[in-house]
């Protein structure tokens, strides 16, 4: 029986790779700038690369993966249910200086549209609307707190020991919104089992119409902040996140030749290159060397 290979990373830490888990076409273990990272087999969940995989870190807007996962897995959820946009949602993003879907007060939008608004432009207003809708209580504050409770309940159901949510969108004043690369990869793998979730996060651009408070039609155009889509062959998601404490974060997935990998990079200034390197390691390819990132148009949200 072959022994597992032990590789010294650029950080000086050791990475043990089982020959059973290693890529079919061996490529060198990539140096990763991100402080925490993992790559898992999207089917089995087996980790094929790790870097400080169990160290707790802030996750910024990658939090919204769990927000969306709770929504799409809610029993009896009707994605065509209509929600009226409240002024409170707009006030919130202005106060926080947060990324936004630019929802207009009084517009009538569906739960499905709110999912796209949450995951593509990383709209904290859209995430707020979902939490307000699906939480319980007599006030908005009570309902959003209830929804966050559902996020933590789902984390417990998934057996996550190093994840805690105090936010529905990743904005955490107390700093108690944290996860690890391993836990976040498990959340992403779970979310990707849902076809509605997969459809949303794989969409580079989404154009939709809503009915305004006057009955007029309004068009919303949202671009996916995840620039790996359309840049790395086979990329199918998932979500960006950026915060002062969290740094740039990325949860990503790609499929080639029937094989899927899901990965996470936390606090990495070059998250897209890191993600491409990790996927190359999984697929045994060299795409990262020539990858050109899809550009976002002027005025599109960045996260």
């Amino acid at each position: 029986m072959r022994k597992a290979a032990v590789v010294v990373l650029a950080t000086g830490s050791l990475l043990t790779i089982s020959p059973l888990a290693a890529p079919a076409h061996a490529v060198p273990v990539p140096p990763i700038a991100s402080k925490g990272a993992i790559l898992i087999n999207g089917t089995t969940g087996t980790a094929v690369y790790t870097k400080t995989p169990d160290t707790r870190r802030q996750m910024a807007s990658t939090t919204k993966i769990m927000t969306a996962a709770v929504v799409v897995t809610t029993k009896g959820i009707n994605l065509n249910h209509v929600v009226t946009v409240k002024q409170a949602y707009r006030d919130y993003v202005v106060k926080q200086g947060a990324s936004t879907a630019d929802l207009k007060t009084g517009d009538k939008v569906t739960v499905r549209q709110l999912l796209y608004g949450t995951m593509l432009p990383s709209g904290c207003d859209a995430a707020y609307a979902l939490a307000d809708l699906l939480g319980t209580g007599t006030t908005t504050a009570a309902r959003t707190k209830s929804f966050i409770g559902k996020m933590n309940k789902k984390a417990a159901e998934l057996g996550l020991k190093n994840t805690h949510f105090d936010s529905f969108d990743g904005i955490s004043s107390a700093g108690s919104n944290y996860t690890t690369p391993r836990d976040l990869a498990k959340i992403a793998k779970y979310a990707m089992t849902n076809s509605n979730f997969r459809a949303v996060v794989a969409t580079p651009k989404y154009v939709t119409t809503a009915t305004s408070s006057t009955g007029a039609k309004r068009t919303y155009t949202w671009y996916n902040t995840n620039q790996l889509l359309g840049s790395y062959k086979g990329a199918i998601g998932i979500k960006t996140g950026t915060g002062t404490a969290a740094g740039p974060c990325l949860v990503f997935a790609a499929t080639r030749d029937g094989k899927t990998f899901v990965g996470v990079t936390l606090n990495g200034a070059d998250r897209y290159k890191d993600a491409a390197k990790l996927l190359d390691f999984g697929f045994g390819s060299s795409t990262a060397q020539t990858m050109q990132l899809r550009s976002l148009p002027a005025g599109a949200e960045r996260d």
Side-chain angles (χ1 to χ4, degrees):
M1 180 178 292
R2 292 181 295 171
K3 295 182 179 179
V6 178
V7 182
V8 181
L9 299 178
T11 59
S13 60
L14 294 180
L15 171 68
T16 302
I17 305 173
S18 164
L20 296 178
H25 305 288
V27 295
V29 178
I32 298 299
S34 299
K35 292 183 178 179
I38 194 169
L39 185 73
I40 67 171
N41 183 299
T43 301
T44 66
T46 302
V48 298
Y49 178 100
T50 63
K51 178 180 179 181
T52 61
D54 301 308
T55 298
R56 294 178 178 180
R57 301 185 186 278
Q58 295 285 310
M59 58 182 133
S61 283
T62 62
T63 296
K64 292 167 182 158
I65 297 171
M66 182 62 96
T67 304
V70 169
V71 172
V72 297
T73 60
T74 294
K75 186 176 181 179
I77 187 67
N78 177 8
L79 298 187
N80 295 318
H81 175 77
V82 175
V83 176
T84 300
V85 177
K86 297 179 182 178
Q87 181 64 36
Y89 308 154
R90 290 184 59 84
D91 292 344
Y92 173 77
V93 295
V94 171
K95 180 181 178 180
Q96 298 293 337
S99 51
T100 176
D102 197 25
L103 299 176
K104 303 300 184 183
T105 303
D107 279 9
K108 297 183 182 339
V109 295
T110 65
V111 172
R112 189 187 309 276
Q113 290 172 319
L114 289 174
L115 285 168
Y116 279 94
T118 296
M119 299 302 285
L120 270 65
S122 199
C124 295
D125 45 355
Y128 193 167
L130 290 171
D132 190 22
L133 173 68
L134 293 179
T136 58
T138 58
T139 65
T140 298
R143 289 188 292 273
T144 53
K145 182 178 180 180
S146 165
F147 184 84
I148 295 167
K150 293 182 178 183
M151 296 168 68
N152 283 311
K153 181 180 178 182
K154 181 63 69 177
E157 291 173 355
L158 294 174
L160 309 183
K161 305 297 185 183
N162 292 302
T163 295
H164 182 265
F165 298 101
D166 70 357
S167 164
F168 53 78
D169 60 2
I171 298 175
S172 174
S173 58
S176 295
N177 199 79
Y178 57 81
T179 190
T180 66
R182 193 185 307 277
D183 278 8
L184 191 49
K186 289 179 180 178
I187 294 170
K189 179 178 177 295
Y190 166 75
M192 290 292 278
T193 63
N194 183 277
S195 60
N196 290 308
F197 181 91
R198 290 197 307 273
V200 171
V201 299
T203 304
K205 176 184 177 181
Y206 185 70
V207 180
T208 190
T209 59
T211 303
S212 73
S213 58
T214 65
K217 293 296 182 183
R218 190 190 312 280
T219 299
Y220 286 99
T221 302
W222 296 315
Y223 295 90
N224 200 318
T225 60
N226 177 13
Q227 291 174 266
L228 205 64
L229 289 175
S231 304
Y232 187 92
K233 180 183 176 183
I236 55 173
I238 299 175
K239 185 74 186 74
T240 59
T242 304
T244 302
C249 304
L250 181 65
V251 181
F252 54 94
T255 297
R256 290 183 183 177
D257 300 322
K259 181 179 290 186
T260 298
F261 288 100
V262 175
V264 174
T265 62
L266 296 181
N267 204 337
D270 210 352
R271 56 186 170 177
Y272 293 113
K273 184 173 287 186
D274 282 355
K277 287 180 179 180
L278 289 176
L279 289 169
D280 275 356
F281 180 67
F283 291 123
S285 65
S286 58
T287 308
Q289 297 177 15
T290 56
M291 183 181 72
Q292 297 294 317
L293 279 182
R294 171 178 59 92
S295 61
L296 294 172
E301 289 293 314
R302 268 75 174 169
D303 183 21

